[in-house]
């Protein structure tokens, strides 16, 4: 084959040819005494200088390159040339044969449509990292070439196929991808194992939650949520987000979630819980920060008491479809220190739905964060059904897909409006306790009448009256006005609570045989399913106990 009949349209070829022509046609302007470097005579016995690249024959160059080279020509791509590297890789190929039959490896790689495209367009094309039948990976570059002056029409056009062996690079890239997949799977497993496997089910709330890991490599972050029943009918709700990605963020999240559950058992106001959590976050990792919203629902108050450490606002939809956004107070993220957090409140009346979420649900790179929150408000305004239905609808409306670039956590809670037979299971009764010797017998009589009207069996009725008597007596002896007795029943339990104006919290202790007092809390703790105490906003305390109802009482 005569390679001089073919010219590749590669950048720089024509410029070099023009430069040589101009140099030979123009006299040397530096003077006649100057000798061009290319014409210096060899005056020594040393090896002659290596010729310039432009002086080498094309075929000689292509025969020596380690890359695979093939030249095909004509509309049916007949083989014009293959270099030594190509024959070493795939065997000897007969010249003049149709490439589709003689080069089956190119057919297996699906390159013939690309050859047609290059020949028609006259523009080079490249496909990266194709695995050939020999098991190795190649990057193929197909470049148009023309025969002679390049004006011979389609019959005079050919395609130079140039293949670089990138097997080592492809294998290294695959090992890296496999490592990243394993890391992500580890992070996802850790993340999901640290999240609640089953949500606690408060008596007065219906709750659903979801977590979606990010779709990018190791995009699992530190998003978490939790539901914690505090006793006395109250429930703590938590949503948080640790900055960062991967196993480290998930591990920090697990420590913070465990700490929140421990602090919640102290039954502290939301801002005090975040204050404790802020100090712990700095100890876990001074370079790691997290946002968190902690809220408490008390069915007797009809609102959420919350505190936020740099987290996105809670949204509440009332029974009419109006969406409220929790505003201030919002403090800086956990781990920053030097800030006194504060608590706020937002109404959560019967029939309302509240949503707590992380930034992956509303934050987009091409839009303002407020726009995302506003879009979530509109979606929540039209979302009805069970908490799980609302949760799924909000995720879909936000466009969260498996390849989403951030993880997403959503917690939805509903305070249902109960009517009819269901409403009969959820009842409240309260009595203001006035000081004096008549307060205790009046409280016992009130409790007895209420429990009788609620049709409790005799044994539960008597235990409830005894617990009421002991809690009221303790408050009268150690507390200060105002005092109040509250009885509440749900479909699962009876709750008795006494509040007063003194903030000294009682504790269970062992009374000695000669002691005339100190047995009240011990008696309550013995007969009740659970008991506890907490300080109330504005000063004072609440002491409560609860009794699990027999199954026949929940129907």
């Amino acid at each position: 084959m005569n390679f001089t009949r073919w010219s590749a349209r590669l950048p720089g070829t024509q410029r070099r040819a023009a430069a040589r022509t101009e140099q030979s046609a123009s006299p040397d302007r530096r003077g006649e005494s100057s000798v061009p470097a290319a014409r210096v005579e060899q005056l020594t016995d040393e090896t002659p200088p290596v010729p310039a690249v432009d002086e080498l024959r094309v075929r000689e160059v292509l025969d020596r390159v380690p890359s695979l080279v093939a030249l095909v020509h004509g509309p049916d791509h007949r083989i014009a040339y293959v270099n030594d590297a190509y024959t070493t890789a795939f065997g000897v190929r007969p010249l003049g044969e149709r490439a589709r039959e003689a080069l089956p490896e190119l057919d297996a790689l699906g390159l013939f449509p690309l050859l047609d495209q290059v020949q028609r367009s006259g523009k080079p094309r490249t496909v990266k990292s194709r695995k050939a039948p020999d098991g190795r990976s190649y990057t193929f570059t197909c470049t148009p070439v023309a025969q002679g002056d390049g004006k011979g029409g389609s019959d005079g056009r050919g395609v130079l196929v140039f293949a670089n062996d990138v097997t080592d690079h492809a294998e290294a890239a695959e090992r890296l991808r496999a490592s990243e997949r394993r890391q992500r799977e580890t992070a996802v497993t850790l993340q999901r194992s640290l999240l609640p496997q089953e949500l606690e089910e408060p008596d007065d709330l219906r709750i659903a939650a979801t977590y979606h890991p990010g779709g990018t490599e190791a995009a699992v972050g530190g998003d978490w949520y939790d539901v914690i029943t505090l006793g006395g009918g109250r429930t703590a709700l938590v949503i948080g987000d640790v900055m960062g990605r991967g196993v480290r963020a998930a591990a920090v999240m697990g420590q913070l979630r465990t700490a929140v559950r421990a602090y919640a058992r102290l039954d502290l106001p939301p801002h005090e819980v975040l204050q404790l959590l802020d100090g712990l976050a700095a100890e876990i990792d001074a370079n790691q920060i997290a946002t968190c919203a902690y809220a408490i629902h008390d069915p007797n108050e009809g609102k959420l008491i919350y505190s936020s450490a740099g987290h996105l606002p809670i949204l509440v939809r009332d029974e009419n479809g109006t969406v409220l956004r929790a505003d201030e107070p919002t403090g800086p993220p956990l781990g920053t220190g030097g800030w006194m957090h504060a608590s706020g409140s937002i109404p959560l009346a019967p029939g309302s739905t509240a949503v707590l979420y992380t930034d992956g649900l509303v934050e987009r790179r091409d839009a303002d964060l407020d726009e995302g929150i506003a879009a979530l408000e509109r979606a929540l305004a039209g979302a009805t059904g069970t908490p799980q239905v609302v949760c799924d609808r909000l995720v879909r409306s936000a466009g969260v897909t498996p390849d989403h670039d951030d993880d997403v956590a959503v917690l939805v809670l509903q305070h249902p409006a109960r009517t009819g037979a269901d409403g009969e299971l959820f009842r409240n009764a309260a009595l203001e306790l006035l000081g004096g010797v008549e307060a205790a017998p009046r409280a016992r009589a009130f409790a007895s009448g209420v429990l009788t009207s609620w049709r409790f069996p005799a044994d539960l009725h008597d235990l409830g009256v005894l617990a009421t008597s002991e809690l009221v007596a303790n408050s009268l002896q150690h507390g200060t006005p105002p005092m109040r007795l509250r009885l509440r029943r749900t479909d699962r339990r009876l709750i008795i609570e006494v509040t007063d104006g003194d903030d000294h919290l009682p504790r269970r202790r062992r009374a000695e045989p000669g002691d005339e007092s100190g047995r009240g809390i011990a008696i309550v703790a013995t007969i009740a399913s659970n008991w506890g105490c907490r300080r109330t906003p504005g000063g004072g305390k609440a002491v409560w106990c609860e009794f699990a109802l027999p199954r026949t009482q929940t129907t």
Side-chain angles (χ1 to χ4, degrees), residues 362-404:
V362 295
E363 189 174 31
R364 300 293 181 270
R365 295 179 181 178
D366 56 350
D368 187 76
L369 180 59
D370 286 336
E371 294 179 9
I373 298 176
L376 181 62
E377 290 178 338
R378 292 190 295 271
L380 178 59
T384 58
T386 65
Q388 189 61 59
V389 170
V390 173
C391 193
D392 294 340
R393 181 171 179 178
L394 295 180
V395 171
R396 287 196 304 270
S397 69
V400 176
T401 59
D403 59 351
H404 195 60

Side-chain angles (χ1 to χ4, degrees), residues 43 96 120 236 260 333 361 365 375 416 432 496 535:
L43 302 179
R120 287 194 305 268
V260 170
L361 186 67
R365 295 179 181 178
E432 299 295 333
I496 303 171
R535 290 187 174 88

Side-chain angles (χ1 to χ4, degrees), residues 339-370:
W339 182 269
M340 295 300 294
H341 293 274
S343 293
S345 66
I346 187 171
L348 189 70
S352 298
T353 300
V355 179
L356 293 79
Y357 52 96
T358 56
D359 58 0
L361 186 67
V362 295
E363 189 174 31
R364 300 293 181 270
R365 295 179 181 178
D366 56 350
D368 187 76
L369 180 59
D370 286 336

Side-chain angles (χ1 to χ4, degrees), residues 8-343:
R9 296 177 180 174
L10 300 176
T13 302
Q14 297 177 352
R15 291 197 301 270
R16 288 192 297 270
R20 289 195 300 270
T21 302
E22 181 180 356
Q23 182 179 15
S24 60
S26 302
D28 192 347
R29 298 181 179 179
R30 290 174 298 179
E32 297 180 356
S33 60
S34 299
V35 179
R39 299 184 179 180
V40 175
E41 296 182 0
Q42 182 70 28
L43 302 179
T44 66
D45 294 333
E46 296 179 0
T47 304
V50 177
V53 173
D54 289 343
E55 298 176 6
L56 294 176
R57 295 178 58 195
V58 174
R59 178 162 186 161
E60 183 180 352
V61 173
L62 296 181
D63 281 342
R64 295 182 181 181
V65 296
S67 301
L68 280 59
V69 180
L71 178 66
V72 297
H73 69 92
D76 52 357
H77 305 304
R78 294 186 178 274
I79 303 176
Y81 167 77
V82 292
N83 72 343
D84 293 342
Y86 197 104
T87 57
T88 301
F90 297 114
V92 178
R93 295 294 183 257
L95 301 181
E97 297 293 329
R98 287 166 48 93
R100 190 172 295 275
E101 290 81 19
L103 302 178
E105 58 277 0
L106 299 187
D107 194 16
L109 292 168
L111 288 184
F112 283 108
L114 186 66
L115 294 179
D116 294 335
Q117 182 182 4
V118 170
Q119 193 174 59
R120 287 194 305 268
S121 66
K123 297 179 179 179
R125 293 288 186 271
T126 298
V127 291
K128 296 183 178 180
S129 193
R130 292 284 181 90
K131 195 166 186 178
D134 65 348
R136 303 191 68 79
S137 296
Y138 298 91
T139 291
F140 289 86
T141 298
C142 300
T143 303
V145 296
Q147 183 178 12
D149 58 4
K151 300 179 181 180
S154 60
D155 290 342
R157 293 180 182 176
V159 180
L160 184 68
V161 181
F162 193 88
N164 280 323
D165 189 335
V166 294
T167 304
D168 293 342
H169 176 76
E171 291 178 350
E174 179 57 33
R175 288 194 296 270
L176 178 61
R177 287 192 293 268
S179 176
E180 291 174 344
R181 284 195 298 269
R182 288 193 298 270
Q183 182 181 8
R184 184 176 185 276
E185 290 169 359
T186 301
V188 170
T189 301
L190 176 61
Q191 174 86 352
R192 292 196 181 279
S193 67
L194 294 175
L195 289 173
Q197 302 305 301
E198 292 185 5
L199 292 177
E200 296 185 22
E201 299 180 357
D203 295 1
D204 293 275
L205 297 176
R206 294 185 298 179
I207 299 178
T210 186
Y211 171 75
H212 292 267
T216 56
E217 297 297 335
V220 177
D223 290 16
W224 92 91
Y225 54 81
D226 211 346
V227 178
I228 309 166
T229 52
L230 302 177
R234 302 166 75 247
T235 305
L237 306 135
V238 192
I239 192 86
D241 184 2
V242 177
M243 302 297 106
R245 295 286 183 269
V247 175
R248 177 59 182 168
V252 173
M253 176 276 290
Q255 296 178 76
L256 292 178
R257 176 176 174 259
T258 301
V260 170
R261 294 191 69 86
Y263 295 148
R265 299 305 178 191
L266 301 176
D267 214 342
L268 299 171
H271 65 275
E272 293 189 23
V273 171
L274 291 189
Q275 207 70 50
L276 293 172
L277 203 61
D278 181 47
L280 179 65
E283 294 179 8
I284 293 175
D285 189 341
N287 298 319
Q288 194 84 48
I289 63 174
T291 64
C292 181
Y294 182 91
I296 294 177
H297 174 255
D298 188 332
N300 297 309
E301 297 179 356
K303 58 185 177 181
L304 282 178
I305 308 297
Y306 70 91
S307 185
S308 175
H311 205 77
L312 299 173
I314 300 171
L315 302 181
V316 175
R317 176 188 183 272
D318 65 20
E319 57 183 348
N320 299 319
T322 302
V323 177
L324 302 177
R325 182 188 300 192
D327 295 323
E328 299 293 341
T330 299
L334 302 174
T336 56
W339 182 269
M340 295 300 294
H341 293 274
S343 293

Side-chain angles (χ1 to χ4, degrees), residues 312-544:
L312 299 173
I314 300 171
L315 302 181
V316 175
R317 176 188 183 272
D318 65 20
E319 57 183 348
N320 299 319
T322 302
V323 177
L324 302 177
R325 182 188 300 192
D327 295 323
E328 299 293 341
T330 299
L334 302 174
T336 56
W339 182 269
M340 295 300 294
H341 293 274
S343 293
S345 66
I346 187 171
L348 189 70
S352 298
T353 300
V355 179
L356 293 79
Y357 52 96
T358 56
D359 58 0
L361 186 67
V362 295
E363 189 174 31
R364 300 293 181 270
R365 295 179 181 178
D366 56 350
D368 187 76
L369 180 59
D370 286 336
E371 294 179 9
I373 298 176
L376 181 62
E377 290 178 338
R378 292 190 295 271
L380 178 59
T384 58
T386 65
Q388 189 61 59
V389 170
V390 173
C391 193
D392 294 340
R393 181 171 179 178
L394 295 180
V395 171
R396 287 196 304 270
S397 69
V400 176
T401 59
D403 59 351
H404 195 60
D405 62 357
D406 195 5
D407 50 348
V408 174
V410 183
L411 180 65
V412 175
L413 58 131
Q414 291 179 344
H415 186 192
R418 306 182 189 276
T419 57
D422 190 36
E424 289 295 319
L425 296 177
F426 291 79
R427 305 289 294 274
N428 283 282
L431 174 68
E432 299 295 333
L433 297 174
L434 302 177
V437 294
E438 75 283 356
R442 185 164 173 255
R444 286 193 293 270
F446 175 79
S448 179
V450 169
L451 297 181
T452 299
S453 69
W454 289 349
R455 300 179 181 178
F456 284 142
D459 57 343
L460 184 57
H461 170 279
D462 294 342
L463 290 175
V465 172
L466 176 58
T468 299
S469 177
E470 294 298 337
L471 292 180
V472 170
N474 182 79
S475 181
L476 290 173
Q477 182 175 358
H478 301 288
T480 59
M483 302 178 185
R484 191 182 194 193
L485 167 66
R486 176 182 288 157
L487 303 178
R488 177 172 176 79
R489 70 155 294 168
T490 70
D491 59 344
R492 306 176 203 173
R493 71 198 81 227
L494 164 67
I495 302 168
I496 303 171
E497 182 180 81
V498 176
T499 59
D500 63 57
D502 185 81
D503 60 2
H504 177 73
L505 300 180
R507 59 184 178 88
R508 183 179 180 181
R509 63 185 181 89
R510 181 186 299 275
E512 298 298 330
D515 293 343
E516 296 183 359
S517 62
R519 295 182 174 84
I521 295 299
I523 292 174
V524 170
T526 300
I527 64 176
S529 303
N530 194 15
W531 81 281
C533 56
R534 69 179 187 279
R535 290 187 174 88
T536 55
K541 67 176 179 293
V543 185
W544 56 269

